[in-house]
Structures are given as structure tokens and as C-alpha cells.
Amino acid sequence: MTLAADHDWTPHQPARQQARDIVTADERRYRIVVSTPEAPAPAQGYPSILVLDGVQHFAAMSDGASALSRRPQKTGVEPMVVIGVFHGDGQALDADARSRDYTSVAPPQGELVGKAFGGADAFRRTLSEVVLPLVSDYLPLDSARRTLFGHSLGGLFVLEALAQQPDLFSRWVSISPSLWWRDLRLEGGDALLLGIGEKEQRRDMVGRTQAFAQRSSARLLIAPNADHGSAPLALLPDALRHATAR
């Protein structure tokens, strides 16, 4: 076997993915990446899942959707479009942009001092007025099976968006939501899937999420042995099944 020289290594671009950068009226920059399935679109369009914190979760979500949708009769995951929303140029996690976009009120006293906050309404408008129409013009999407996925502060944003604009998505997935930032009261029902890692004990994450699930009538999954970082991966198949369920 002959090995190629080091200079023969080249960048790799995943197949069936397209990206587009947008700039909002208030100069906030985002990269939107879509992953499309090989299967042709159904008559009503593809189911879709919009993934917040794309730099952390888009690759796993798109790879998972591609792998599991090859045998939907076994996995319960149908071919679907995965939409990733990345801050800035999509190359790195932007902690300030996250805390700004995913929250509507200041954090509790003494928490995340100096972080931006309060941009959730503006970001929700960006999703509803820019991102979703942009992708819908590019790909045929089923409006009855459109899901929003978020983790941590992104999970809190999912819950706030559900409370403020319940018709924006038909299904909602909130993993390890930052309910310590603020408590919410809403009716989620079957449309809302909550998830938490068994080992998420800091700030009473498990207890807060369990209490929220009970009063919101949402479905709750607890991932065994998962912590805050691994909970989204442990619960990824469940999120995809929730997004494509009929």
C-alpha cells in the first residue's frame, strides 16, 4: 500500500449540504446550513428540524437523520431536512450571541455577570420572517411537521418560543433547558419533548425539568448516565423520531 503525501490531504465537504449567510437589519450575522435527504420529497414536503447552536449540534443531527432514515420502518425516522442555525461565520461557539439570542430577561443575580441578554424576541422574528421562508423557498417542507430543537439556553429559547408563538413550529424539542435562568408556565402537551441527562445535578437541572414536564403535560425523557454535554447525543434518535412522527 502506498500512502499519499501530507500535502495530498484536502478539505472534505459533506454531501447534500448547502449554506447561506444572512445579515439582519440590526447587523446580526448567521450562517444557515441545510442537509437534504436522498429520498424524493413527499407530496406534502419533507419534515424538518431546525437546530439551534449549529456549531455544536448540526453535524450530529444531520448525520443521525441520514443514517436512521435509511430504514424508517425500523427506526421511526423518516427522510427529513435538517436546518442548522450558526452564529457568525459558523466556525466557533459564540457565548455572548447565545445568551443574547436565547433569553428574554436578565439572569438571576450573580449568574453570568456581564453576559448579553434580552434578544429572544428579535431572534424569534429572524427565524419566522427570514430563516424559515428562506429555506421553504429553497426546499419543499411539510408545515405540519416542522420542529425546533434547542439545548441548554437553546432549550430555554424553545420553551419561550412555544409560549410566545405556538404556531411557529408544530413540534418542539427542548433538551436540558436552562430553567434556572427563568421559570416558565405553559401547556406543551404531545407537541413538546423534554430531555435531561441523569447526571445533570447542578442547579437542580433534573428536578426543575421534571417539575416543568409535569405541569406542562410534556413528554419527558431522562438519559441514563448522561451529563449536560452528552444528553443531546444520547437523546438524538428520540428527537428525530419526534420530528417525523405522524
Side-chain angles (χ1 to χ4, degrees):
M1 180 175 67
T2 301
L3 296 178
D6 287 347
H7 62 261
D8 290 331
W9 286 94
T10 60
H12 171 69
Q13 174 64 41
R16 308 191 67 83
Q17 291 187 12
Q18 300 292 327
R20 182 165 176 174
D21 293 337
I22 63 172
V23 181
T24 64
D26 54 355
E27 297 298 316
R28 297 181 182 181
R29 297 176 179 273
Y30 303 93
R31 175 162 293 175
I32 313 303
V33 185
V34 295
S35 174
T36 58
E38 295 182 12
Q44 68 273 27
Y46 292 114
S48 61
I49 185 166
L50 190 150
V51 180
L52 303 180
D53 287 325
V55 72
Q56 289 184 304
H57 305 302
F58 175 76
M61 193 71 72
S62 58
D63 287 350
S66 176
L68 294 175
S69 66
R70 290 170 187 161
R71 302 185 70 188
Q73 69 279 8
K74 297 287 188 181
T75 65
V77 177
E78 297 181 21
M80 64 190 304
V81 170
V82 180
I83 307 163
V85 179
F86 298 68
H87 285 106
D89 62 4
Q91 300 303 306
L93 187 70
D94 188 330
D96 285 334
R98 291 183 76 248
S99 62
R100 176 198 68 203
D101 282 352
Y102 298 160
T103 66
S104 59
V105 298
Q109 188 173 3
E111 291 275 10
L112 300 184
V113 176
K115 288 293 183 184
F117 63 86
D121 286 346
F123 181 63
R124 178 165 45 84
R125 288 194 298 272
T126 296
L127 296 184
S128 64
E129 298 174 10
V130 181
V131 177
L132 290 174
L134 191 70
V135 179
S136 296
D137 285 345
Y138 179 53
L139 296 166
L141 302 182
D142 183 354
S143 60
R145 289 196 291 170
R146 190 164 67 188
T147 301
L148 178 63
F149 172 94
H151 168 246
S152 194
L153 278 179
L156 177 64
F157 175 84
V158 168
L159 300 180
E160 290 201 355
L162 172 56
Q164 295 294 326
Q165 196 172 352
D167 60 346
L168 183 56
F169 293 87
S170 53
R171 296 164 195 187
W172 311 78
V173 180
S174 176
I175 306 298
S176 309
S178 298
L179 292 168
W180 56 269
W181 187 290
R182 68 166 300 190
D183 204 0
L184 291 168
R185 294 192 177 274
L186 58 87
E187 184 66 28
D190 293 339
L192 174 60
L193 175 63
L194 290 167
I196 192 76
E198 179 186 37
K199 294 185 176 181
E200 296 193 61
Q201 300 302 324
R202 186 168 180 252
R203 297 188 175 113
D204 191 26
M205 290 282 288
V206 173
R208 290 178 189 270
T209 306
Q210 287 175 320
F212 180 84
Q214 184 174 18
R215 66 174 180 263
S216 65
S217 302
R219 181 185 174 205
L220 173 64
L221 297 177
I222 300 178
N225 298 314
D227 57 17
H228 191 68
S230 59
L233 293 173
L235 297 169
L236 187 148
D238 299 283
L240 294 172
R241 280 189 286 270
H242 184 70
T244 61
R246 293 185 180 275

